[in-house]
Amino acid sequence: MAHIRKAKETDRSAVALCIAEGFEKDFSILCKDTQKVSDAIASGLNMERFFVADIEGNIAGVLAISDCTSRAAKAEKSSLKKHFGFFKGIIAAFILKEEFEKHIEYPVTTGYIEFVAVLKKYRKQGIAATMLRESMLLTNYRDFVLDVTDVNESAIKCYTNVGFEEFKRVPEKHGKQKGFNERIFMRYCRK
């Protein structure tokens, strides 16, 4: 059984590894080595925004809840260059800055859920749904928003089962290269 808790600074490496593995397909454009991706993104994580699923001292899954005041991650150019090399690091910083640091246009009462990831060996056990339900209870937000790609059917099913409802779709620029066509935006309102 997973215990859901706020992440601690000592969880940084495990959180980064979980994100690198959870978004392996997305990061593979930059680097196929999950450990290298983890090392490259770790220093840019805002640990205060993360929640973890802890199973007997092991981080099985993570998610972050950001808002319009701060995001869960930054693209740390120096770390990206160090781990990916100069040119690929600059490209990674450019790509990840848009993804990680784009300003959230929702009010301060809305939590923006991002980086939902579960390690492969713990998947299909309901950990993501448990993390979502319990982490939302640990915050004071009135409602929550997240986005998911149109091809991520298992995540869409998970979010729907938790109570999220689709409210808009946005076509993705360069979707063919990224492997999906639209971002589906979903909202959950506290009852």
Side-chain angles (χ1 to χ4, degrees):
M1 180 78 169
H3 167 65
I4 310 307
R5 62 173 173 78
K6 290 278 289 173
K8 300 181 274 194
E9 181 56 39
T10 54
D11 298 325
R12 182 177 294 277
S13 294
V15 168
L17 187 59
C18 199
I19 292 167
E21 188 175 295
F23 294 90
E24 186 174 25
K25 185 174 180 264
D26 303 287
F27 285 117
S28 69
I29 297 164
L30 299 168
C31 180
K32 293 186 184 340
D33 182 333
T34 304
Q35 185 62 55
K36 196 179 274 193
V37 170
S38 173
D39 293 343
I41 65 171
S43 65
L45 300 179
N46 178 357
M47 295 305 292
E48 293 174 15
R49 292 286 177 186
F50 282 90
F51 293 85
V52 298
D54 185 318
I55 297 178
E56 298 173 2
N58 297 308
I59 304 301
V62 302
L63 68 74
I65 304 179
S66 299
D67 61 33
C68 62
T69 65
S70 75
R71 294 288 303 269
K74 286 186 183 143
E76 293 285 347
K77 193 185 288 186
S78 60
S79 181
L80 295 166
K81 287 193 301 191
K82 175 183 174 186
H83 295 284
F84 294 154
F86 183 80
F87 291 112
K88 210 180 256 189
I90 288 174
I91 292 166
F94 177 77
I95 293 168
L96 297 179
K97 185 172 181 64
E98 170 68 18
E99 190 67 31
F100 289 2
E101 299 177 33
K102 185 176 180 183
H103 181 70
I104 296 170
E105 300 293 333
Y106 301 105
V108 73
T109 55
T110 299
Y112 181 73
I113 297 175
E114 53 187 338
F115 296 111
V116 180
V118 176
L119 290 175
K120 287 176 188 170
K121 71 179 187 174
Y122 294 108
R123 289 184 190 158
K124 307 249 185 264
Q125 297 176 33
I127 292 171
T130 300
M131 275 194 311
L132 283 160
R133 286 187 190 100
E134 293 188 25
S135 63
M136 289 188 299
L137 290 172
L138 295 172
T139 72
N140 294 319
Y141 296 110
R142 273 192 279 187
D143 63 334
F144 299 86
V145 172
L146 57 77
D147 68 86
V148 60
T149 63
D150 60 346
V151 296
N152 194 343
E153 293 172 16
S154 61
I156 293 166
K157 184 178 178 190
C158 171
Y159 302 148
T160 302
N161 289 341
V162 169
F164 281 83
E165 295 178 358
E166 179 181 335
F167 68 94
K168 78 175 174 181
R169 288 180 181 237
V170 177
E172 185 67 15
K173 261 196 264 177
H174 311 295
K176 190 169 186 163
Q177 293 89 330
K178 293 179 181 179
F180 64 97
N181 301 310
E182 298 174 308
R183 287 187 190 265
I184 300 171
F185 287 81
M186 303 180 84
R187 176 175 278 128
Y188 176 92
C189 295
R190 287 190 195 259
K191 307 233 178 331

